[in-house]
Amino acid sequence: MRVIGRSFETAMRNEFRMQSRRRAMWLTMLGVSTLFPLLALHALDERFAQEGTLRAIADWTNFLNLWVPIAYGIVLADRIPRDRRLRMDELFATFPTNQRYRLWGKALGVALATVVPLLLVALAGAVHISLRLHSAEVMKFEVVAICVILLPALLFMTAVCLLLSTFVWPPAIGFICAGLWLFLQVSPTMLPSLANSLMSPTGSYAIAGLFHSDRGWAGTQGLVPLGPLGPAVSAQSGVLGPVLVTVLAAVLLGALPAAAGRRNPV
Amino acid sequence: MRENVWFLEYRLLTWRPAGLAAAGVGAVVSLALVATLVSSHNNSTQLLTGGIELGLPLVAGGLAALPAGHDSARELQLSLPTPYRRTLLRRSILAAMWPALGMATVSIAMVTTHRWMSSAGIVGGQLTWIAPLAWSTTMCCLVTVALRSYVAALMVVSVLGGVELLIGSIFRDQSWLHPLYLPATTDTLAHSFWWSNRLDLLGTAVVAALLTGRLLRRPECLLQEDAA
Amino acid sequence: MRIHIHELTKTFPGGIQALRGINLDIESGMFGLLGPNGAGKTTLMRILAGVFLPSGGTVRIDTWDLAVDRDRTAVKCVLGYLPQELGLYPDLRAREFLDYIAVLKGMDHTPSRRRRVAELLDTVGLAGDAQRKLGTFSGGMKQRIGIAQALLNDPRLLIVDEPTAGLDPEERIRFRNLLSDLAGDRTVLLSTHIVEDIAQTCRNLAIMSTGAVVFRGTAADLIDAARDHVWLISTPGPKPEGNLTVVSTLNLGSSVQYRVVGEVSPQVQGQGVPTEPSLEDGYVWVMRSYRDAVSSAVA
């Protein structure tokens, strides 16, 4: 048990460090995640001014959650192919430690490191809202919003992108990530999809059930209709939605070692 | 014979760019067919237009930047009398050729099935996909060479594509951002500035191409290990 | 071809100084460049091959100045280069790869190019593998393809960087002989940290350390430098004390024979005999002396 724990912890710590030291990761994640909010600042501020604190926070976090998971997924998807490219997987395969725990440690380490710049931007936005609305409660709400809207979505993308990267040609992963995320946003009135269902990682039920808001504002600003939610919107479904997405992500992550092992049999 | 080099460059790239382009075209057409069945003719037309105006140009961009992002024999290439810039250009053209062919095919199919959305007619309307193709391929190459990271280029264009689809009003409502707005045909509210937008995209593509060429004059920047 | 290097410097972004005022004159024939890892050999080779641009100083190859774009292209036309880490295109066949590089070297006439490719495949012993994909080649076969591509344009200047690393002993000998045969009126620049490769092939050599040339002369000069500083010491106990570098150790059963390089004290001299230095001893002596000089200068 101790060996398992060490294997997991070492992989997680090393991946976290390596990912945190990538200048390109910080530049692109911070650059991309601050650029669009700054471009939309005027529209966002107008929207915030019309709403209460709770809905403003939901809108802000939803705004980030619309597109941030694409960037996050693409950055993550490079990690496993990189091990193959550098022949590190061959070396790891010779180690007595359990490869499953190493891979899960790697997934968690790289995910934690990549999420840091996004959390900084999300919290910076919350500070901005707090100053605009003169509300001290904003930070508390933002932490909840991050936990039920942003983090389940990012966990879902972690699982999907790492899993894809074990068998898909690396340059194709970016397009699949972006395509999948956009597909998950599209209203079922346009295309059959799980968008706006409890299993959707878009955070729609958490936004409606816990923050009494909707994703409608974003839906009116672009070309993709986001559509209405199902009838069962409540505080319970607002919690159940993120939990189901987390469970789905955990199941996908559970399959990661098997998918990686198929490519590089140990 | 120089034509032999094109064939060998094609062999180097393997079938994968063609495969990815085919998958992209297949996805766009399939989604449009599904949309026809479950929603409306208008939705499927909008999907096809979005596919050739945003989705496939971004695929082309990613493929065009791929040779600048990775070359297993780069040091050897830099020691050869043929300028490496020329080799990269040849490879980028070959890689981006497949999605470009896909876009041309879809646009012909759209014209023949009366689904053509562009108000600029059939000939001028071809800028629906040509301008974003030029913009995306040159911009991806520029970001790859400037940041020495193919992943960064892929991320920037993919996120830009996502943001333009989901919250395109940011770009549509601020005129100084029009040169970055790719889906001006798909977005009927953007038709008022369609021509200037297309010319802006082409102009930006020329600037990006020139900047990339300039950066590639410093060969060692390519040899430094990709920080990503 | 004559290479004239004057006060050459190379500084990478971040301030890492890889070359610090190199001065070298290299004539036709084989020239060896020795030095430990990180000495700056590869950076120097890359500058001579036109891959890197110098930060300062001048490099002239015959009448061409490597700081000038057009001259650099002219040098590349007469250059054969085998980089230290030769990446190949795994999906190309051996014949296709050579054909491809030949076209990029400006060999546009198809029949003569194909003839040259076939001839070189034969020279490096890969004629039977011409249709195999490079991804299936062993390390030695890849090196042989590497040397074949370097020779495609019958280069007047051949630069080979660590060409024998990773080769088995037979292949190393074969490779060294091939390079010696090629030398003739060409200039062949061989960079390596394997002293034996230089001993077997080069009359003239230089040793680099920390971005500077610390020795320049013939192989005989290098051997002479270590004269009176190489001893064979047999002892039943531990290795002899003092500021000595043990070059080799031979277990004789009841005692151990050490081959040492350094200033041997009279006490230790009593236990051993002076011996004829080899090129490797000369290399060790020069590197020791350089390090000592640097330490005392710092002190």
Side-chain angles (χ1 to χ4, degrees), chain A residues 18-26 75 78-79, chain B residues 151 227-228:
Chain A
M18 278 198 293
Q19 185 78 340
S20 305
R21 287 172 190 162
R22 288 170 69 196
R23 201 167 52 103
M25 189 278 282
W26 282 94
V75 170
D78 178 44
R79 296 292 87 186
Chain B
V151 175

Side-chain angles (χ1 to χ4, degrees), chain C residues 126-152:
Chain C
L126 289 173
D129 299 291
Q131 293 302 330
R132 267 178 67 183
K133 283 193 177 180
L134 295 173
T136 66
F137 274 25
S138 68
M141 290 165 90
K142 283 179 184 165
Q143 281 299 79
R144 281 190 266 162
I145 274 292
I147 195 72
Q149 67 74 25
L151 297 174
L152 277 166

Side-chain angles (χ1 to χ4, degrees), chain B residues 55-92:
Chain B
L56 293 172
L58 295 182
V59 170
L63 287 172
L66 193 59
H70 176 71
D71 183 352
S72 53
R74 186 162 279 160
E75 189 175 347
L76 178 61
Q77 286 278 359
L78 289 170
S79 74
L80 300 174
T82 299
Y84 190 46
R85 290 196 305 270
R86 202 180 296 166
T87 303
L88 283 183
L89 178 66
R90 204 183 290 127
R91 287 181 188 172
S92 292

Side-chain angles (χ1 to χ4, degrees), chain A residues 22 28 32 36 39-40 63 66-67 71 74-75 78-79 169 171-172 175 182 189-192 218 221-224, chain B residues 16 20 31 34 38-39 58-59 62 66 150-152 154-155 158-159 163 165-171 174 176 187 228:
Chain A
R22 288 170 69 196
T28 45
V32 162
F36 297 115
L39 292 178
F63 178 80
L66 277 174
W67 46 272
I74 292 173
V75 170
D78 178 44
R79 296 292 87 186
W169 184 43
F175 302 113
L182 292 174
T189 55
M190 188 176 189
L191 283 172
Q221 307 304 306
L223 297 165
V224 177
Chain B
R16 287 188 181 118
L20 183 60
L31 288 176
V34 173
V38 302
S39 53
L58 295 182
V59 170
L66 193 59
Y150 174 69
V151 175
L154 207 56
M155 194 185 92
S158 300
V159 171
V163 169
L165 275 182
L166 294 166
I167 32 178
S169 61
I170 301 175
F171 294 86
Q174 302 181 69
W176 65 278
D187 183 356

Side-chain angles (χ1 to χ4, degrees), chain B residues 29-47:
Chain B
V29 172
S30 309
L31 288 176
L33 284 175
V34 173
T36 310
L37 293 175
V38 302
S39 53
S40 69
H41 180 277
N42 277 353
N43 276 344
S44 74
T45 301
Q46 202 182 16
L47 261 169

Side-chain angles (χ1 to χ4, degrees), chain B residues 1-2 4-5 7-9 11-12 14 16 71-82 84 87 90-91 148 217-220 223-224, chain C residues 10 13 46 49-53 69 73 76-77 79 81 83 86-89 91-92 96-97 99-101 103-106 108 110 113 149:
Chain B
M1 295 252 286
R2 285 273 157 179
N4 191 41
V5 155
F7 172 71
L8 289 170
E9 297 283 15
R11 290 282 318 275
L12 281 178
T14 72
R16 287 188 181 118
D71 183 352
S72 53
R74 186 162 279 160
E75 189 175 347
L76 178 61
Q77 286 278 359
L78 289 170
S79 74
L80 300 174
T82 299
Y84 190 46
T87 303
R90 204 183 290 127
R91 287 181 188 172
R148 287 165 222 156
R217 291 180 79 88
R218 287 192 61 81
E220 56 239 67
L223 270 184
Q224 279 156 15
Chain C
K10 178 70 190 174
R46 284 176 170 174
V51 174
F52 280 178
L53 299 174
D69 275 358
T73 306
K76 287 176 177 181
C77 290
L79 168 77
Y81 179 51
L86 176 71
L88 299 172
Y89 299 117
D91 290 300
L92 286 190
E96 285 174 337
F97 174 71
D99 199 42
Y100 170 68
I101 298 295
V103 175
L104 295 186
K105 285 193 173 194
D108 284 340
T110 306
R113 189 178 70 238
Q149 67 74 25

Side-chain angles (χ1 to χ4, degrees), chain A:
Chain A
M1 201 62 196
R2 234 177 43 211
V3 174
I4 288 171
R6 228 180 13 240
S7 169
F8 178 82
E9 188 206 319
T10 309
M12 188 180 79
R13 206 175 43 230
N14 285 342
E15 280 300 326
F16 182 84
R17 279 185 193 153
M18 278 198 293
Q19 185 78 340
S20 305
R21 287 172 190 162
R22 288 170 69 196
R23 201 167 52 103
M25 189 278 282
W26 282 94
L27 276 175
T28 45
M29 291 306 282
L30 276 179
V32 162
S33 55
T34 48
L35 177 69
F36 297 115
L38 285 177
L39 292 178
L41 191 61
H42 183 64
L44 283 170
D45 275 347
E46 267 182 10
R47 173 86 176 165
F48 297 152
Q50 295 162 10
E51 300 175 314
T53 309
L54 201 62
R55 286 172 68 97
I57 282 298
D59 248 4
W60 162 241
T61 314
N62 176 45
F63 178 80
L64 285 179
N65 200 42
L66 277 174
W67 46 272
V68 150
I70 300 174
Y72 172 85
I74 292 173
V75 170
L76 243 67
D78 178 44
R79 296 292 87 186
I80 289 177
R82 186 176 179 272
D83 278 355
R84 275 204 302 272
R85 206 167 57 231
L86 300 177
R87 300 275 174 99
M88 289 301 288
D89 53 346
E90 275 181 33
L91 181 66
F92 290 137
T94 63
F95 292 174
T97 47
N98 192 314
Q99 294 305 301
R100 269 186 303 171
Y101 295 101
R102 185 189 66 76
L103 265 174
W104 287 329
K106 181 185 179 73
L108 191 60
V110 75
L112 285 174
T114 314
V115 98
V116 171
L118 301 178
L119 292 184
L120 290 177
V121 173
L123 292 173
V127 170
H128 173 76
I129 295 170
S130 162
L131 294 173
R132 295 277 305 179
L133 302 184
H134 308 290
S135 167
E137 285 179 308
V138 166
M139 297 312 284
K140 193 172 63 188
F141 292 150
E142 180 59 24
V143 171
V144 176
I146 286 172
C147 291
V148 294
I149 301 170
L150 204 53
L151 290 184
L154 296 180
L155 190 65
F156 174 80
M157 283 307 261
T158 305
V160 169
C161 292
L162 289 180
L163 202 59
L164 279 173
S165 71
T166 61
F167 60 91
V168 174
W169 184 43
I173 299 170
F175 302 113
I176 297 176
C177 284
L180 175 72
W181 190 250
L182 292 174
F183 177 68
L184 286 170
Q185 310 279 345
V186 178
S187 162
T189 55
M190 188 176 189
L191 283 172
S193 78
L194 288 177
N196 300 342
S197 75
L198 272 173
M199 292 292 280
S200 167
T202 55
S204 45
Y205 269 84
I207 291 168
L210 299 177
F211 293 89
H212 313 298
S213 184
D214 57 51
R215 306 179 67 234
W217 174 74
T220 61
Q221 307 304 306
L223 297 165
V224 177
L226 301 182
L229 289 183
V233 175
S234 64
Q236 285 86 347
S237 62
V239 175
L240 187 61
V243 169
L244 283 177
V245 173
T246 307
V247 170
L248 177 64
V251 170
L252 292 174
L253 276 174
L256 182 63
R262 195 183 51 82
R263 175 76 181 246
N264 304 295
V266 179

